Each structure stands twice: as structure tokens, then as C-alpha cells.
Amino acid sequence: MVPPHLPPGYKENPLERDIEKAVKAYARKKGWWVRKFSTENSRSEPDDIFARDFGPFSYVFFIEFKRHGRKPTPTQRDKHEKIRNETGLRVYVIDTIDNGKYLLDDLEERIEGLMPKVRHG
């Protein structure tokens, strides 16, 4: 039974696809470009690629979505490490909607903190 203070449709342990759908919708609302990431040869690629232009900075990263408490497989971990080593891009593993939203908010705050200050007057 869902406690009355939680929103309609709340699931205590949502499926991976529900976490992915919610985080991607939140990202798009905040201006992120989001695409499913897939290649012909590998089943161990991260789920999605995210990108956003912040003016003088752009940021691109991958997310591997998992159901709460689940971890990437050893093959997925190896692929994530290879992506980091070969491209310098980050691969984040997200297992809750709140963690996904927090990641996006935190990245925006950090990137905007790097932007040059504009003086008025």
C-alpha cells in the first residue's frame, strides 16, 4: 500500500525502465539532449547519452540505469571503464529517480559555477 503523502503512481521499487523514463523526462525539461545509446556489436553499452550546451561549456556523459540496489554486470563495468579511459567521458550508474534528478541538478550547478561572471553597469 502506498502511503497517502506520496504522489499518484508512486512505486516503492520502480523498474529500471520507469527510472529511466522519469529521469530522461526531467532532463529534457531542463534542456538536456538525451538519446538512447546503442551500437551494433555490444550489449554492454550504457543505456543513454546526455548532452547540454552551457554557452562556453558543453557537457556530455552516459547513464547506465539500474533497478534500485542493482549493480552493473562485470562486462558493463569493463565497458564503462573503457569509455572513461578512451574518451574521458563519465558513465554514471543511476538506480533511483531521485539520484538521477540530483545528478542533473548537481552537474548544472557545478558547470554554471565555472562560467565567467558577467558584470553589469
Side-chain angles (χ1 to χ4, degrees):
M1 174 147 184
V2 176
H5 67 282
L6 295 173
Y10 174 83
K11 294 181 182 174
E12 191 167 324
N13 190 9
L15 298 174
E16 177 180 321
R17 70 175 175 253
D18 297 329
I19 297 167
E20 181 177 1
K21 182 179 177 181
V23 172
K24 288 166 67 171
Y26 183 76
R28 287 185 178 111
K29 274 179 51 175
K30 295 179 74 60
W32 290 89
W33 178 86
V34 181
R35 294 293 182 271
K36 192 74 170 159
F37 185 68
S38 63
T39 62
E40 298 173 11
N41 304 355
S42 180
R43 295 173 41 102
S44 299
E45 303 291 352
D47 293 311
D48 294 282
I49 186 167
F50 291 67
R52 183 163 168 203
D53 181 14
F54 288 89
F57 302 102
S58 293
Y59 194 73
V60 178
F61 64 94
F62 297 93
I63 291 183
E64 174 66 38
F65 289 98
K66 291 291 181 189
R67 195 165 188 179
H68 183 63
R70 303 269 171 94
K71 304 289 183 206
T73 66
T75 305
Q76 286 174 320
R77 284 195 306 269
D78 290 347
K79 178 58 81 168
H80 298 173
E81 187 67 25
K82 184 176 180 179
I83 289 170
R84 285 185 199 103
N85 290 339
E86 292 181 3
T87 68
L89 296 176
R90 296 193 183 268
V91 180
Y92 298 99
V93 178
I94 297 297
D95 69 349
T96 69
I97 294 167
D98 286 343
N99 284 348
K101 288 179 176 181
Y102 176 82
L103 170 68
L104 293 164
D105 292 342
D106 186 58
L107 288 173
E108 287 178 10
E109 186 176 311
R110 289 170 185 258
I111 292 166
E112 288 169 356
L114 296 172
M115 296 167 94
K117 303 291 185 226
V118 176
R119 292 184 177 228
H120 298 285

